[in-house]
Amino acid sequence: VVGASPDERSTGQRIIRFLDRYGYAGAVYAVNPKYAEILGKPCVATVAQAGPVDLALIVVPATAVPAVLEDCVRAGAKHAIIMAAGFADDSQASGHELQQAVARIVAASTLRVGGPNAEGYLNVLDGIPASFSSSVDPEVGFVGIDWVPEGSNLVRLAAGNIAVLAQSGGLGFSCFSRGLADGLGFSHIVSTGNEVDLDILECLAYLLEDPRVRVLSLYLEGLKQPERFTAVARRAAELGKPLVIGKAGASESGRKAALSHTGHLAGTDAVYEAVFKSYGIHRVRDQEELIDASWAFSCCPLPRGNRVAVISWSGGSAVWTADACERAGFVLPEIDPDRQRELRALLPSFASTANPVDITGASQIGLADVLRVLVDAPYLDAIVLISTLHRSELLRRDFSLMQQIVASADKPIILHTYTRPSAESKRLMRELGLPFYTSSTRTVRALRALADYASFQQRWQASAGRTAVAVSDSPELTRNLSEYDASALLAQAGLPTSKQILARSPREAAAAARRLGLPVALKLQSPDLAHKSAVGGVLLNVRTLREVRAGCARLLELATTLGGGLQVQGVLVQEMVTAGVEVIVGIENSSGFGPLVLLGMGGLRAEELRDSTMRCAPITMAEARLMLGELRGAPFLLQHRPDGMEPDVDALLQLLVDLSEWAARNAHLVRELDLNPVIVHARGRGVAIVDSLMVVAADGVAGAGES
Amino acid sequence: VVGASPDERSTGQRIIRFLDRYGYAGAVYAVNPKYAEILGKPCVATVAQAGPVDLALIVVPATAVPAVLEDCVRAGAKHAIIMAAGFADDSQASGHELQQAVARIVAASTLRVGGPNAEGYLNVLDGIPASFSSSVDPEVGFVGIDWVPEGSNLVRLAAGNIAVLAQSGGLGFSCFSRGLADGLGFSHIVSTGNEVDLDILECLAYLLEDPRVRVLSLYLEGLKQPERFTAVARRAAELGKPLVIGKAGASESGRKAALSHTGHLAGTDAVYEAVFKSYGIHRVRDQEELIDASWAFSCCPLPRGNRVAVISWSGGSAVWTADACERAGFVLPEIDPDRQRELRALLPSFASTANPVDITGASQIGLADVLRVLVDAPYLDAIVLISTLHRSELLRRDFSLMQQIVASADKPIILHTYTRPSAESKRLMRELGLPFYTSSTRTVRALRALADYASFQQRWQASAGRTAVAVSDSPELTRNLSEYDASALLAQAGLPTSKQILARSPREAAAAARRLGLPVALKLQSPDLAHKSAVGGVLLNVRTLREVRAGCARLLELATTLGGGLQVQGVLVQEMVTAGVEVIVGIENSSGFGPLVLLGMGGLRAEELRDSTMRCAPITMAEARLMLGELRGAPFLLQHRPDGMEPDVDALLQLLVDLSEWAARNAHLVRELDLNPVIVHARGRGVAIVDSLMVVAADGVAGAGES
C-alpha cells in the first residue's frame, strides 16, 4: 500500500485495515519513507524494498504517481492500481499530461495498471479487499445486515455469483453495499476508473471465464476500443451468462457529464442500443434496476415463455401485479380445474383460484402449500408470489418445504412484498435463494429481464452458424461510389435494385429509356456527388424520349458548371418505381462495433420522426422482425395502414437479412450505405431500392462505371 | 369494540391495545357477554349497555354482524365499522345475502357504517387507531424507525399531511408503514372495504376539506357511483390539493381479481384514464410509485417549468439522472457563468460545473454550499441533489444552513441517494422535509408528478370559467338517430357536417344530386339502422344522375326487404368528400362520469390499432392538443406525414373543442356519438364529418326527418 500513513482516516490505512478484517492471507507492506510500521505491518521506503510484489495499491496524490510507478517497475511488481483522481478526469491540461506519463511507463514495462481514479476491487470469492470504498468497510457498509457479523470478527461474506464492473467506482461499490443488504450474493466488484491500461473489457473477459461467476453487471460510460466488445459479448452469449449493463450518457447533458467524468467519450447511444440488442445484453436505466435484474439472473432459472401465475396474499397487490404483467407482455393463464379444486380445498370461500390466485390475508395457508400445487403446472413459465415480508412467520413455518420446492423448480419464482421486509424475512429469503422486490412493477420488470434473455438465448442457439464478423475490417481510407456503381455491387449481391442503364449521351439516354419503358428518372452520376438531388442532378418522371434527350443534355451541362474537377460517369436512366411505402435501409460501419444494419421509416419528414433501429450484421429473419416491431411508425405505415393497403413486409425483412449478410461478408469494403428510399410495394410485389449512397474502402472496388 | 376477547392475538384485543398505546382519551368499552373486563376496560354484554357510543368497531364473524348492528342501532351508536370478511367479497351466495341484510339495517337507521371487510382507520392527527392492522401495531409496524420510540411508551406520531384511502385495507396500511419508515408524514389512513354505506368518495370529500391534509392518495378498485367522483375531483383541483390514485384492474386478469376481491366491478380503464387526466389526478401504477409521488407532493412546492439542475456527488449517478430527466421531458440548462465561477472556487479542478454539476466524491464541499449558489437561479425550476445517505456527516455538517435553504426555496428540491440510507440520514432528511429516492428514475418520476400537476393547475386556473357538468343528466331511455337527424343537430351546433339533402324518391335524389354536384354518396336513412353499411345501405361515388336515380330506388327497395317494420326516412344524398386523413371523434356519455370526448386514428384498420384517447367534456384547446399528443399514430398520420402533406390539425382540434362544449351543454340529450370518419383535409381546408351515429334521450329531440 504505497502512500499509507498512520492517520486513521487516510485511504492507505483504511485499505490495510480492510485487508486485515477480511483475513487476507498474503504479506502486506506499507510503503512510506517516514514510518517503520503501520497498523502492525512493516513499512518500507520504496516498493522495491518490499520485494517482488503481486499488487501495489497506490494512494499517493496524482503528481507523485509517476515516480511510484517507476519504483513499482524497478521492484518487478506485477500489478498496480492508481486510486488518486486528477488525471484525464481533470479538466486541466496537467491532469492529461500526468495520465500520458503513466501511459508511457506502462507501455515501456510489463506492469499492468488499474486506474487512475479507481476505487480498486473487492474479490469476494477469495476474500481480497483491494479498495478503500466505504462500502467495503465492515463498520459502514454492513451495518444492519444480519448475515454479515459486525464487530471485530473476521468478515466472511458468503460467496455469490454476481460480478459488478463499473467505470464509476462509487456506483459499483454502492451496488454491492445495497445489494448485500437485500440479500444478493456477489463474487467481485471492480472499479476501473480512467483505464490507462486495464480496462473494463479486459476485466469482463477475465471474469466471464470464472465458472463461479454467473451474472456480470456493468456500469459503462464508454468504450475506447469497441471492436473488442463484440467478442466478449459473443463469448458471454455462448456461455449463457447474462450481461446486465447500465450505459449512461443517452442524453445530451448526460454526455457532457460522461465526457468530464472519466475522460471517456460516450458513444452514440443508438449504436450501443443496437449492439446490446444483438447480443442479448440486458440494458438497465439506473442502479436500482441493475441490482433488481442482477438478483433475478443470479437466482432464477430462465422461463420457457410468457405465462405467469400470480399468487397473492393481498387482493389489491394481485390486481396491480396482473396489470403490470399485461403491460410487460406476460399472460396469466387460468389455472386448470383440477388444481383449482385442490386450491379451493385449502382456501377460504372468498379466495380466488383462477389466476391471479388471491389467497387473501385472512387465510392461514402457507406459501409452500399453494406453491406446491402450482409449481409443476406445465402451462406456467414463471411464478410471482405476493406476500408480506413484514413478519416472517409464514416463511419460517414451512421453510424446509419451501427450500425443496425452490430447489427443484425448473421455472423462476420471484416474490413481491407490499410491506417493508423484516431483517429475519430477508435472511430467510436469502437462504431460500429467492429474489424479492418492494414494487409490483419492479417484480415484473425483473421477470421480463429473465424472459427477454431466455428468448435471446433461443434465437442465439437457433442461429448457431452465425458468422463471426471481423469487426476490425472496417475500412479507414474511403471514397464514395456513384449510385450506378453502388447499385451494381448490390445487384451482384442479389438485392432488388431498380432497372437502370448508364448513358453517356442524350442519344444513349433515349435508347435506354426506350428499353426500360417511359417514364424514367435521370440522375447525374459521379462518385464526387454524394447528394445529387441537392444540386439539381435528378429529374423524375421524364415522360417522353424527347424530354429524356433534353434532360440528359441538361444534366451533362450541369456537371460542367459544378466545377472542382467533377469526375462524371454519365447519366443514369432508371425506371420510375410506382408508389409504395418509403423506408430507409442502411449499413453503418464506422462505430468500431462492425457493420450495423439500419431500418427506419422514410419519406420527406423522416428526420423529424427519428424512427429507426439498428442491429449488428448479420441478422436473422427473427431479428429483422424484432427490428420492425421497434419502429413506432410501423403499425401505422406498414402493418395496419388506415387505408387498408398491405405492404410487402416479408420482402422488406428479406432485404434486411440479405443486406446484413452482404455487409457482414464485406465489412472490409463498406463503411456506409444508405438505401433511401426503399419502396415497399403491396404484398407479393416486393421492394425496390430507388436510390443508394455508398462509401467504400478507397482501394476496395473498381467502380463499375469506370471499368 | 364488539367481539373483543381476552385472547392476546384476537383482533378485538389488538384494537384495545392500540387505543391504549396511542393514548386515545375517550372511553373504550369491550362488548362480549362472556367477560366483565378486558385489558382493564369494562366489558359489557351489549352495545346498548355501553351507552350512546360514537363508534362501534365490530370484530365478530360475518354471520353475527346483523344482530350486532341492530344492537348498535338500539344503542344509538353514530358509527360502526365492520371488519370481518365474508360478505359481498365472498363468492358464495350467503355472503351477498349477509351484505344485503347489513344494507337494509343501514337504510332503516341513521347509523353510518364502514366496511364490511375493512381494516378500519388510523387518524394520525388526532391519535385514533380504529384498526387492527399490524402496520398500526407499534411492536410490528414501527420496528427500526428511530423517530417512533419503541417500547411501552405512548406512541406519538408526528402530524403529517398525507391521507391514504384504500379499497384494499392491506395496501393502504402497508403504504403507511413503508412510508413512515422512509420519513413520510401521514394524517389519516382509511380502509373502506366493501363500502356497504360509507364509501371512499365520501371519506375523500370529508378529508379534502381538512386544512391539515395536503395530499390525498387512493388505492381504487372501482366506483359504484362515478357521478359523484367528478365533483370531488373538481373540488380537489380548486383547493390545489393533488390526488394520487392507483387504479388497478387495467388488464383482463386484473379485472377478474378486482371483481372477486371486494365486489366492485372495475370500470373500463380508458374512462378512468380520461377522467384522471381531465382533473389533473396523478395516476400511479403500483404502491411504491404511490408512496414516491405522495412524498414529493407532501413536501415540495410545485415547479414553474421543466428546467432542472442536477447536483451530484457521484459522476455516474449524475449521468444516469440526466438521462432520466431527458426521457421525462425535463431540460438541464447550463449554469450561468457567474454561478459557475462561484462553484469553481469551491470545487476541485476535476469537478464539472455546467449541469449536471458533478461535485465528485473527492470534494469536501457540503450540500448547502452548492445549493446556496444555485437555489435562486431564475432559470431553474427544480433541483435534484444526488448524494450518498449511507453516512450522515454531510447532512449533519451544515444542517441548519440546509434547513434555511429548504424552508425558503420556492422550487422543489429532491434527493437521490445511490447508497443505502442510514437511520440517521433518514431522520435528518425527515427534519429537513426533503424527499429522497433510491433510484434516479424514481427521483425524476416524482419530479415529473410535481411538474405535471403544476401544469394541470396552470391549465385549470386558465379555464376558470369551465362549465360544471351536471353528470347525472345522462339519458337512460334512449333511441338512435339517423345520420340525417344527427347531422342536423350537429349542423345547428355549428359543426362542419357534409352537404346533404334527404330524398324520398329517385326523382328527389336526382334533384338533390344536381344541386350538390356529382359524384355523390347515397345512404339509406332510418333510426332503426345503426350500421347501414353492413346491410348494403350505402353507395359511394355515384357518378351520374341516372345512377343516382337507380341507386336511390335500389336502397328504398332494400329497406322493404330488411323487414321488422323499419322506419324509413328516405335516402340521404351527400357530397363525396375528397381524400384526407381519417380520424374518429366521438362522445361517450354512459360511464356515469358525464360526457367524455374521444379522439382516435381512423381508417379501415382503426380497431387493430386501438389508438384513441378521451377527456371529460368540455375541453379547452390546450387539452385538445394534449389529446392529439397521446395518439401514437398522430406523428405519422397527422403531424410529420412521410408524404409531406400537412393536414389541418388546428381545424380538427377546434372541432374537438366545439363538440365537447356542445356535449357538455347537451349531456341530458346525448348518450353516444360517433363521428366516423372525420376527414382532415390539408391545412386551411378544414375537416368534414362524413358519417355520424348518435344515440339520444328517447324523448329528447324530434328527428329532423320526422318533422
Side-chain angles (χ1 to χ4, degrees):
Chain A
V1 182
V2 188
S5 94
D7 177 356
E8 254 186 27
R9 297 179 317 179
S10 73
T11 306
Q13 178 159 143
R14 286 162 65 87
I15 295 175
I16 294 173
R17 184 159 51 82
F18 299 166
L19 286 164
D20 269 351
R21 288 291 308 277
Y22 283 73
Y24 176 67
V28 175
Y29 293 86
V31 180
N32 189 331
K34 294 190 216 148
Y35 308 98
E37 191 192 283
I38 288 175
L39 271 186
K41 306 292 176 197
C43 188
V44 293
T46 65
V47 178
Q49 285 170 23
V53 301
D54 290 306
L55 173 62
L57 298 171
I58 303 176
V59 298
V60 299
T63 48
V65 164
V68 169
L69 276 185
E70 299 282 13
D71 183 18
C72 289
V73 172
R74 274 191 301 275
K78 288 183 196 153
H79 299 93
I81 300 177
I82 305 168
M83 295 180 168
F87 292 83
D89 49 294
D90 196 319
S91 57
Q92 297 183 341
S94 56
H96 286 265
E97 280 160 24
L98 271 176
Q99 184 146 339
Q100 279 164 14
V102 169
R104 280 192 298 271
I105 297 169
V106 169
S109 72
T110 58
L111 181 70
R112 298 305 306 272
V113 173
N117 189 24
E119 295 197 14
Y121 68 81
L122 167 65
N123 176 338
V124 178
L125 298 180
D126 305 309
I128 308 173
S131 173
F132 63 88
S133 167
S134 65
S135 295
V136 172
D137 187 346
E139 318 296 344
V140 178
F142 308 154
V143 172
I145 307 181
D146 77 343
W147 47 89
V148 183
E150 278 181 67
S152 61
N153 310 331
L154 220 54
V155 173
R156 283 266 173 262
L157 293 173
N161 57 16
I162 303 169
V164 176
L165 301 96
Q167 289 180 321
S168 159
L171 273 183
F173 279 103
S174 63
C175 285
F176 163 69
S177 161
R178 288 177 61 174
L180 196 71
D182 285 339
L184 279 73
F186 294 92
S187 62
H188 309 81
I189 314 295
V190 182
S191 152
T192 59
N194 292 6
E195 305 187 347
V196 68
D197 175 24
L198 284 166
D199 68 7
I200 197 164
L201 281 183
E202 192 163 355
C203 299
L204 177 62
Y206 174 78
L207 292 174
L208 204 46
E209 302 299 334
D210 189 326
R212 302 170 298 178
V213 176
R214 179 166 158 184
V215 185
L216 298 107
S217 303
L218 280 71
Y219 172 76
L220 207 62
E221 294 191 338
L223 294 170
K224 287 177 180 160
Q225 297 171 293
E227 65 276 10
R228 287 165 46 217
F229 182 78
T230 48
V232 182
R234 292 179 66 86
R235 179 68 182 144
E238 275 162 26
L239 292 168
K241 295 189 179 183
L243 299 182
V244 177
I245 300 190
K247 165 71 182 71
S251 68
E252 201 46 54
S253 36
R255 263 196 295 283
K256 252 186 281 168
L259 193 62
S260 58
H261 182 227
T262 49
H264 283 133
L265 184 70
T268 309
D269 199 64
V271 170
Y272 278 98
E273 189 74 23
V275 173
F276 291 170
K277 284 177 179 157
S278 290
Y279 293 100
I281 291 165
H282 183 70
R283 185 175 192 176
V284 292
R285 297 292 175 181
D286 70 16
Q287 186 198 22
E288 195 160 82
E289 198 181 341
L290 185 143
I291 295 171
D292 286 354
S294 302
W295 201 0
F297 280 122
S298 149
C299 300
C300 297
L302 296 180
R304 282 178 304 265
N306 280 328
R307 299 162 303 174
V308 177
V310 173
I311 307 172
S312 181
W313 271 250
S314 149
S317 302
V319 185
W320 253 337
T321 305
D323 286 354
C325 281
E326 186 164 281
R327 282 200 304 278
F330 291 107
V331 293
L332 276 67
E334 181 154 344
I335 305 302
D336 63 89
D338 285 351
R339 286 192 173 82
Q340 286 208 48
R341 209 169 300 127
E342 254 186 283
L343 289 174
R344 268 197 298 276
L346 297 167
L347 299 175
S349 63
F350 45 88
S352 163
T353 54
N355 191 11
V357 178
D358 180 6
I359 305 302
T360 82
S363 169
Q364 293 306 309
I365 195 173
L367 283 165
D369 296 319
V370 186
L371 202 49
R372 191 170 37 176
V373 175
L374 295 174
V375 71
D376 61 353
Y379 51 82
L380 294 176
D381 301 313
I383 292 177
V384 174
L385 294 171
I386 304 176
S387 181
T388 162
L389 293 184
H390 204 145
R391 314 187 95 157
S392 43
E393 287 87 339
L394 215 64
L395 279 177
R396 238 180 0 226
R397 208 174 59 197
D398 42 30
F399 187 73
S400 63
L401 186 53
M402 276 292 281
Q403 278 188 306
Q404 285 169 34
I405 295 172
V406 172
S408 61
D410 63 345
K411 56 193 70 168
I413 302 170
I414 62 180
L415 190 141
H416 162 47
T417 174
Y418 50 93
T419 53
R420 196 162 50 103
S422 71
E424 197 199 1
S425 291
K426 285 186 182 185
R427 190 176 54 72
L428 292 171
M429 289 297 287
R430 189 169 163 277
E431 282 178 36
L432 283 174
L434 285 187
F436 66 84
Y437 304 96
T438 53
S439 124
S440 51
T441 311
R442 284 166 60 191
T443 307
V444 173
R445 189 177 63 182
L447 197 57
R448 185 74 264 165
L450 296 178
D452 282 348
Y453 189 68
S455 66
F456 163 74
Q457 276 287 335
Q458 284 161 12
R459 286 198 306 278
W460 183 264
Q461 314 286 347
S463 65
R466 171 193 269 259
T467 330
V469 182
V471 293
S472 56
D473 275 355
S474 172
E476 285 299 324
L477 269 175
T478 60
R479 63 192 187 88
N480 295 339
L481 290 190
S482 68
E483 180 183 354
Y484 181 66
D485 291 339
S487 293
L489 272 178
L490 297 171
Q492 276 168 32
L495 297 171
T497 52
S498 307
K499 280 183 213 147
Q500 50 191 270
I501 295 167
L502 187 66
R504 267 108 180 161
S505 68
R507 236 169 61 115
E508 281 184 30
R514 211 177 290 117
R515 275 176 60 196
L516 294 171
L518 290 162
V520 293
L522 301 178
K523 301 172 170 181
L524 182 58
Q525 294 296 292
S526 162
D528 306 322
L529 204 55
H531 298 287
K532 46 193 181 295
S533 303
V535 295
V538 175
L539 303 173
L540 297 179
N541 264 316
V542 185
R543 299 190 174 279
T544 66
L545 291 181
R546 192 175 147 175
E547 283 169 15
V548 169
R549 274 188 295 268
C552 179
R554 192 140 37 107
L555 291 181
L556 292 172
E557 169 65 21
L558 170 72
T560 63
T561 69
L562 289 173
L566 197 71
Q567 180 201 327
V568 176
Q569 295 176 323
V571 168
L572 193 63
V573 185
Q574 205 175 47
E575 62 171 344
M576 278 306 297
V577 171
T578 53
V581 182
E582 295 194 8
V583 300
I584 302 171
V585 172
I587 297 294
E588 154 59 48
N589 189 22
S590 66
S591 67
F593 286 106
L596 300 166
V597 56
L598 175 143
L599 172 65
M601 292 315 308
L604 287 170
R605 314 275 288 275
E607 296 202 352
E608 287 168 59
L609 289 166
R610 298 208 298 176
D611 192 20
S612 65
T613 182
M614 297 191 288
R615 285 292 190 288
C616 294
I619 58 168
T620 62
M621 193 46 110
E623 283 176 297
R625 219 169 277 285
L626 288 175
M627 290 176 76
L628 185 73
E630 288 163 15
L631 296 185
R632 287 172 293 115
F636 301 95
L637 301 175
L638 283 165
Q639 292 162 312
H640 315 279
R641 289 179 64 84
D643 60 7
M645 179 208 164
E646 300 192 2
D648 200 334
V649 166
D650 288 341
L652 172 60
L653 300 182
Q654 191 61 55
L655 167 64
L656 265 186
V657 170
D658 293 346
L659 183 71
S660 79
E661 287 172 356
W662 177 82
R665 284 193 308 273
N666 293 282
H668 58 285
L669 171 68
V670 63
R671 189 162 170 95
E672 230 177 281
L673 170 62
D674 240 7
L675 307 183
N676 183 12
V678 170
I679 302 285
V680 187
H681 294 299
R683 195 187 286 171
R685 299 171 155 237
V687 296
I689 298 169
V690 173
D691 199 357
S692 48
L693 172 62
M694 199 186 300
V695 180
V696 296
D699 55 355
V701 62
E706 301 159 28
S707 64
Chain B
V1 183
V2 189
S5 94
D7 178 357
E8 255 188 26
R9 294 179 319 179
S10 72
T11 305
Q13 178 157 142
R14 287 161 65 88
I15 293 175
I16 295 174
R17 183 160 50 84
F18 299 167
L19 286 163
D20 270 351
R21 288 291 308 278
Y22 284 73
Y24 175 67
V28 175
Y29 293 86
V31 180
N32 190 329
K34 292 190 217 149
Y35 309 97
E37 191 193 284
I38 287 174
L39 272 185
K41 306 290 174 199
C43 186
V44 293
T46 65
V47 178
Q49 287 171 24
V53 304
D54 291 305
L55 174 61
L57 298 171
I58 304 176
V59 299
V60 300
T63 49
V65 164
V68 169
L69 276 186
E70 299 283 12
D71 184 18
C72 289
V73 172
R74 274 190 301 274
K78 289 184 197 154
H79 298 94
I81 299 176
I82 307 169
M83 294 182 167
F87 292 83
D89 49 294
D90 195 318
S91 58
Q92 295 183 340
S94 56
H96 286 264
E97 281 159 24
L98 273 175
Q99 184 147 338
Q100 279 162 13
V102 170
R104 279 191 299 271
I105 299 169
V106 169
S109 73
T110 58
L111 181 69
R112 299 302 310 270
V113 173
N117 189 23
E119 294 197 14
Y121 68 79
L122 167 65
N123 177 337
V124 178
L125 298 181
D126 305 309
I128 308 173
S131 172
F132 63 89
S133 167
S134 64
S135 296
V136 173
D137 187 346
E139 319 295 344
V140 179
F142 308 155
V143 172
I145 306 181
D146 76 346
W147 47 90
V148 184
E150 275 181 70
S152 59
N153 310 332
L154 218 55
V155 173
R156 285 263 173 262
L157 291 174
N161 57 15
I162 304 170
V164 177
L165 301 96
Q167 288 180 323
S168 160
L171 274 182
F173 280 102
S174 62
C175 285
F176 164 67
S177 161
R178 288 176 61 175
L180 196 70
D182 285 340
L184 278 74
F186 294 93
S187 61
H188 308 82
I189 313 295
V190 182
S191 152
T192 60
N194 293 6
E195 305 187 347
V196 68
D197 176 25
L198 283 167
D199 68 5
I200 197 164
L201 280 184
E202 194 164 353
C203 300
L204 177 61
Y206 174 80
L207 292 174
L208 205 46
E209 302 300 332
D210 189 325
R212 301 169 300 177
V213 177
R214 177 165 160 184
V215 186
L216 297 107
S217 303
L218 280 71
Y219 172 76
L220 206 62
E221 294 192 337
L223 294 170
K224 286 175 181 163
Q225 296 171 291
E227 64 278 9
R228 288 165 44 218
F229 182 78
T230 47
V232 182
R234 291 179 67 86
R235 180 67 183 143
E238 275 162 27
L239 291 168
K241 295 189 178 183
L243 299 183
V244 176
I245 300 190
K247 165 72 182 69
S251 68
E252 203 43 57
S253 37
R255 263 194 296 282
K256 252 183 284 170
L259 194 61
S260 59
H261 182 227
T262 50
H264 283 132
L265 185 70
T268 309
D269 198 65
V271 170
Y272 279 97
E273 188 75 24
V275 174
F276 292 170
K277 283 177 180 158
S278 290
Y279 293 100
I281 291 166
H282 183 70
R283 184 175 193 174
V284 293
R285 298 290 174 181
D286 70 16
Q287 185 198 22
E288 195 160 84
E289 199 180 340
L290 186 144
I291 296 171
D292 287 355
S294 302
W295 201 0
F297 281 122
S298 150
C299 300
C300 298
L302 296 180
R304 282 177 304 266
N306 281 327
R307 300 163 302 174
V308 177
V310 173
I311 307 173
S312 181
W313 270 251
S314 148
S317 301
V319 184
W320 251 337
T321 305
D323 287 354
C325 282
E326 185 163 284
R327 281 200 305 278
F330 290 107
V331 293
L332 277 68
E334 181 154 344
I335 305 302
D336 63 88
D338 284 351
R339 286 192 174 81
Q340 286 206 48
R341 209 169 301 123
E342 251 185 286
L343 289 174
R344 267 197 300 275
L346 298 166
L347 299 175
S349 63
F350 45 87
S352 162
T353 55
N355 191 11
V357 178
D358 181 5
I359 307 300
T360 81
S363 168
Q364 292 307 307
I365 194 173
L367 283 165
D369 296 320
V370 186
L371 203 48
R372 190 168 41 175
V373 175
L374 296 175
V375 72
D376 60 353
Y379 51 82
L380 294 176
D381 301 313
I383 292 178
V384 174
L385 294 172
I386 305 175
S387 179
T388 163
L389 294 184
H390 205 144
R391 315 185 95 158
S392 43
E393 287 88 338
L394 215 62
L395 279 177
R396 240 184 355 232
R397 207 174 57 199
D398 42 27
F399 186 74
S400 61
L401 186 53
M402 275 293 280
Q403 276 187 308
Q404 286 169 34
I405 295 172
V406 172
S408 61
D410 63 345
K411 55 192 73 170
I413 302 170
I414 61 180
L415 188 142
H416 162 45
T417 173
Y418 50 94
T419 54
R420 196 162 51 100
S422 71
E424 197 198 1
S425 292
K426 285 187 183 183
R427 190 174 56 71
L428 293 171
M429 289 298 287
R430 189 170 161 278
E431 283 178 35
L432 283 174
L434 285 187
F436 67 84
Y437 304 95
T438 54
S439 122
S440 51
T441 310
R442 285 166 60 191
T443 307
V444 173
R445 191 177 62 183
L447 195 57
R448 186 74 263 163
L450 297 179
D452 283 349
Y453 189 69
S455 65
F456 162 74
Q457 275 287 336
Q458 285 162 11
R459 286 198 306 278
W460 182 264
Q461 315 284 347
S463 65
R466 170 193 270 259
T467 329
V469 182
V471 294
S472 56
D473 275 354
S474 171
E476 285 300 323
L477 270 176
T478 60
R479 62 189 187 91
N480 294 338
L481 291 188
S482 69
E483 180 183 354
Y484 182 65
D485 291 340
S487 292
L489 272 178
L490 298 171
Q492 276 169 32
L495 297 171
T497 52
S498 305
K499 281 183 213 147
Q500 48 192 268
I501 296 168
L502 187 66
R504 269 103 180 167
S505 69
R507 238 171 61 120
E508 280 184 34
R514 213 176 287 118
R515 275 177 59 196
L516 294 170
L518 289 162
V520 293
L522 300 178
K523 300 173 171 182
L524 182 59
Q525 294 296 291
S526 163
D528 307 323
L529 203 59
H531 297 286
K532 46 193 182 293
S533 303
V535 296
V538 175
L539 303 173
L540 297 177
N541 263 318
V542 185
R543 300 192 174 276
T544 66
L545 291 180
R546 193 177 145 176
E547 281 169 15
V548 168
R549 274 188 294 268
C552 179
R554 193 138 37 108
L555 291 180
L556 292 172
E557 169 66 21
L558 170 71
T560 65
T561 68
L562 288 173
L566 198 72
Q567 181 202 329
V568 175
Q569 296 177 321
V571 168
L572 193 64
V573 184
Q574 203 175 49
E575 63 171 342
M576 279 305 299
V577 171
T578 54
V581 182
E582 296 194 9
V583 300
I584 301 171
V585 172
I587 298 293
E588 154 59 46
N589 189 21
S590 66
S591 67
F593 286 106
L596 300 165
V597 56
L598 175 143
L599 172 66
M601 293 315 310
L604 286 170
R605 314 279 286 276
E607 298 206 347
E608 287 167 60
L609 289 166
R610 298 207 297 174
D611 192 21
S612 66
T613 183
M614 296 191 290
R615 285 291 191 289
C616 293
I619 58 169
T620 61
M621 194 46 116
E623 283 176 298
R625 220 170 278 286
L626 287 175
M627 290 176 75
L628 185 75
E630 287 164 15
L631 296 186
R632 287 171 292 116
F636 302 95
L637 301 175
L638 283 166
Q639 293 162 312
H640 316 278
R641 291 180 61 85
D643 61 7
M645 179 208 165
E646 299 191 4
D648 199 334
V649 167
D650 288 341
L652 173 61
L653 299 181
Q654 191 60 54
L655 168 64
L656 265 186
V657 170
D658 293 345
L659 183 71
S660 78
E661 287 171 357
W662 177 81
R665 284 193 308 273
N666 293 282
H668 58 284
L669 172 69
V670 63
R671 188 164 172 94
E672 231 175 280
L673 171 62
D674 240 9
L675 307 183
N676 182 12
V678 170
I679 303 285
V680 187
H681 294 299
R683 193 187 286 173
R685 303 178 151 230
V687 298
I689 299 170
V690 172
D691 198 355
S692 49
L693 172 63
M694 199 186 296
V695 181
V696 295
D699 56 355
V701 63
E706 298 156 30
S707 62

